[in-house]
Amino acid sequence: MKQIDLGRSGLLGSEIALGCMRINKLSEKELDAYIRTALECGIDFFDHADIYGGGDCEAAFGRVLQNEPSLRDKMVLQGKCGIRPGMYDFSKEHILKSVDGILQRLHTDHLDLLLLHRPDALMEPEEVGEAFDQLEAAGKVKHFGVSNFNTRQLELLQSGLRQRLLVNQMQFSLKVTGLIDHGLCANTEFPHAADRDGELLDYCRLRHVTVQAWSPFQYGFFEGVFVDNDKFPELNAALAKLAEKYGVTKSAMAVAWILRHPAKIQVIVGTTNAQRLRDIAAASTVALSREDWYELYRAAGNQLP
């Protein structure tokens, strides 16, 4: 599995990461085996959030680490906080309290990365900075980032921080291509020419912020998956053709399409099926050609000028 230098900070993690949003559906024995499967595939990066299962997903993962603490040294653990029922909360008090709860549930003494989960309209950068300073000084968090932020929100938050933001986690897939559409449609009146995020992907490349792609198989906002979906016959035909060409599954091909981008995007996958995870991990071995990359982009329903 290829590694990514997250934010060019020296923190290395597998280019395919395991999202832990659904792992509380597994038994403790199943989860233990599943984590070991991920590590065997070269996936050493695990993405958590305190809202996943209301904390149950972190607790389930933590029980595995509690039973075998040596596994922690083989992992990069990322947590997310800031979402509360009906609101977002980047107050110092909430961030500090959240991290203590995350660490307790995960049975670890530190997070390698902490992300603020969704923008808080009431965010005060200096207050967030105080929380980050305290967490860093205590050794509870090594690095910091965000999720679902646009460029100006990143700039605003960074202005109050001593630490550099390394990561921005965004939705991106063959059917959610907003991060690249407006750039390809520059100087046109095509609908995709609209810039919804402040040229975020180019900005992140310039500032050495690693983009993490969540829901790489989804279309819309959690409307369903596009792989093997009859709604998208052209895309699935193209995926099938190229999957055969490169000797991987269609899901792996969908991930390989994201990995081909020179921004060195890290892909967060959320399957809880061990065999499917092994199949997806093969995407790291695919060197997708420029021609094939654009064929998939067009097959997904995107028009080039």
Side-chain angles (χ1 to χ4, degrees):
M1 175 71 64
K2 296 186 183 73
Q3 296 270 301
I4 285 180
D5 183 352
L6 292 142
R8 294 193 185 180
S9 66
L11 175 63
L12 300 178
S14 52
E15 64 178 353
I16 299 172
L18 187 62
C20 297
M21 187 169 69
R22 302 180 183 89
I23 61 171
N24 59 336
K25 298 179 181 179
L26 301 174
S27 69
E28 188 170 324
K29 182 178 180 180
E30 290 171 334
L31 180 55
D32 182 274
Y34 187 61
I35 291 171
R36 294 174 191 277
T37 295
L39 293 170
E40 288 167 6
C41 291
I43 297 173
D44 62 5
F45 194 103
F46 298 85
D47 174 61
H48 291 272
D50 57 2
I51 65 165
Y52 293 167
D56 287 348
C57 293
E58 292 169 335
F61 197 95
R63 285 191 288 273
V64 174
L65 293 184
Q66 187 179 27
N67 290 336
E68 189 164 345
S70 63
L71 288 175
R72 176 65 179 94
D73 294 335
K74 302 175 182 179
M75 300 173 170
V76 180
L77 290 186
Q78 175 171 280
K80 298 191 291 293
C81 71
I83 297 180
R84 293 174 56 192
M87 62 182 289
Y88 306 120
D89 189 347
F90 288 0
S91 66
K92 178 181 177 179
E93 179 184 11
H94 181 70
I95 292 171
L96 295 177
K97 181 179 178 181
S98 296
V99 171
D100 283 343
I102 292 168
L103 296 179
Q104 182 179 21
R105 289 188 292 274
L106 286 175
H107 285 280
T108 185
D109 63 355
H110 74 279
L111 291 174
D112 298 290
L113 265 165
L114 173 70
L115 308 189
L116 300 181
H117 206 159
R118 278 194 174 273
D120 175 12
L122 304 181
M123 174 183 73
E124 298 184 43
E126 292 76 15
E127 183 180 3
V128 175
E130 290 176 6
F132 284 8
D133 285 347
Q134 190 167 325
L135 291 169
E136 184 181 50
K140 294 179 179 180
V141 178
K142 303 299 184 183
H143 303 280
F144 300 88
V146 296
S147 182
N148 304 297
F149 271 49
N150 65 30
T151 55
R152 294 304 183 191
Q153 291 166 333
L154 276 166
E155 287 278 4
L156 178 60
L157 178 56
Q158 186 66 74
S159 72
L161 304 180
R162 190 175 51 79
Q163 303 81 5
R164 189 166 65 83
L165 296 168
L166 303 186
V167 163
N168 189 11
Q169 190 174 122
M170 301 290 289
Q171 186 177 14
F172 187 56
S173 73
L174 268 165
K175 288 300 296 180
V176 182
T177 51
L179 289 179
I180 58 175
D181 290 339
H182 65 273
L184 286 169
C185 295
N187 196 36
T188 74
E189 295 184 358
F190 286 21
H192 283 173
D195 178 11
R196 298 179 180 274
D197 51 43
E199 299 180 350
L200 179 68
L201 188 56
D202 292 340
Y203 170 90
C204 287
R205 293 179 73 181
L206 286 168
R207 296 301 176 96
H208 307 310
V209 176
T210 296
V211 171
Q212 296 176 337
W214 58 266
S215 290
F217 309 114
Q218 291 276 335
Y219 67 95
F221 190 72
F222 292 121
E223 293 178 32
V225 298
F226 57 80
V227 177
D228 292 327
N229 190 325
D230 293 339
K231 292 182 178 180
F232 310 107
E234 184 178 354
L235 175 56
N236 276 282
L239 284 170
K241 183 184 78 169
L242 293 177
E244 182 176 3
K245 174 181 176 180
Y246 289 93
V248 296
T249 64
K250 287 193 285 186
S251 292
M253 183 53 53
V255 169
W257 181 84
I258 299 174
L259 295 177
R260 173 63 177 83
H261 196 280
K264 299 186 184 302
I265 298 169
Q266 186 180 39
V267 182
I268 311 290
V269 301
T271 181
T272 55
N273 182 288
Q275 185 55 53
R276 187 160 185 260
L277 185 63
R278 293 188 189 96
D279 292 340
I280 291 170
S284 188
T285 68
V286 174
L288 196 63
S289 73
R290 187 180 298 265
E291 292 78 9
D292 292 340
W293 188 90
Y294 274 103
E295 180 181 349
L296 286 172
Y297 180 74
R298 295 194 312 273
N302 298 300
Q303 183 181 6
L304 293 174

